[in-house]
């Protein structure tokens, strides 16, 4: 309920609370949404238990009219979450208002099909799936025998 108190106190300043990276399942999101503890649903797609759990959160956020703005920033996370945002826009919310997706400009060189940004916007990928890590990157970072670990 702490987030709800913070969100309520900030409303008079027209400041919204973006949270959700700490939530592990749809039940936690439901509690945050029911108590008005978030103005922006910042789901961490790797923290949740797969795509079904993520879709449940998207539908809950839509029910409460809360925009979804996923967290993205780790290896392949931008490649993964772009699909969630596209799905939300096309199949759930049909809106870009109040929505955004983080972008971290690193680690894409290790992906077979890295995200494409044009004019500050994610472009729909032209390959299926969430991309994959390049074989040479997997070998390079393989623990404990990869060259990166051998240099440490």
């Amino acid at each position: 309920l702490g987030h709800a108190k913070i969100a309520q106190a900030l409303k008079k300043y027209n400041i919204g609370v973006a949270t959700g990276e700490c939530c592990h399942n749809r039940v936690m999101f439901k509690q945050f949404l029911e108590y008005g503890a978030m103005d922006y649903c910042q789901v961490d797609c790797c923290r949740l238990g797969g795509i079904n759990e993520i879709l449940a959160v998207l539908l809950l956020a839509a029910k409460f009219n809360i925009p979804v703005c996923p967290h993205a920033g780790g290896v392949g996370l931008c490649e993964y979450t772009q699909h969630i945002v596209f799905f939300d826009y096309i199949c759930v919310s049909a809106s870009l208002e109040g929505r955004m997706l983080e972008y971290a400009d690193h680690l894409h060189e290790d992906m077979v099909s890295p995200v494409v940004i044009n004019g500050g916007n994610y472009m729909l990928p032209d390959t299926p799936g969430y991309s994959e890590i390049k074989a040479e990157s997997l070998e390079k970072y393989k623990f404990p025998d990869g060259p990166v670990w051998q240099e440490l």
Side-chain angles (χ1 to χ4, degrees):
L1 295 175
H3 276 82
K5 287 185 178 187
I6 293 168
Q8 189 60 38
L10 291 174
K11 285 201 186 309
K12 65 182 173 188
Y13 302 109
N14 201 27
I15 297 173
V17 172
T19 189
E21 290 176 280
C22 59
C23 295
H24 300 284
N25 57 49
R26 66 185 177 271
V27 175
M28 289 182 74
F29 276 99
K30 182 178 181 234
Q31 291 170 345
F32 272 72
L33 291 161
E34 282 184 332
Y35 286 101
M38 65 172 58
D39 299 295
Y40 301 94
C41 179
Q42 194 167 27
V43 60
D44 184 334
C45 295
C46 288
R47 191 174 299 263
L48 293 175
I51 192 70
N52 289 337
E53 198 77 0
I54 295 165
L55 294 179
V57 171
L58 289 181
L59 294 171
L60 279 167
K63 178 185 180 343
F64 287 91
N65 199 30
I66 297 294
V68 176
C69 306
H71 164 64
V75 178
L77 195 50
C78 292
E79 285 75 13
Y80 179 29
T81 54
Q82 69 179 339
H83 293 279
I84 306 306
V85 170
F86 293 137
F87 181 86
D88 178 45
Y89 176 66
I90 295 167
C91 300
V92 180
S93 69
S95 174
L96 295 176
E97 188 171 332
R99 287 163 170 78
M100 63 172 289
L101 174 57
E102 289 180 325
Y103 175 73
D105 191 20
H106 68 296
L107 306 171
H108 303 289
E109 64 275 5
D110 294 313
M111 304 306 291
V112 173
S113 301
V115 296
V116 175
I117 304 293
N118 187 356
N121 298 299
Y122 279 79
M123 298 291 104
L124 282 167
D126 58 5
T127 56
Y130 304 135
S131 188
E132 59 186 283
I133 299 175
K134 293 178 181 176
E136 58 268 22
S137 294
L138 289 173
E139 284 301 314
K140 183 176 171 183
Y141 293 98
K142 186 168 125 183
F143 181 81
D145 305 320
V148 169
W149 294 100
Q150 294 298 313
E151 293 172 13
L152 295 178

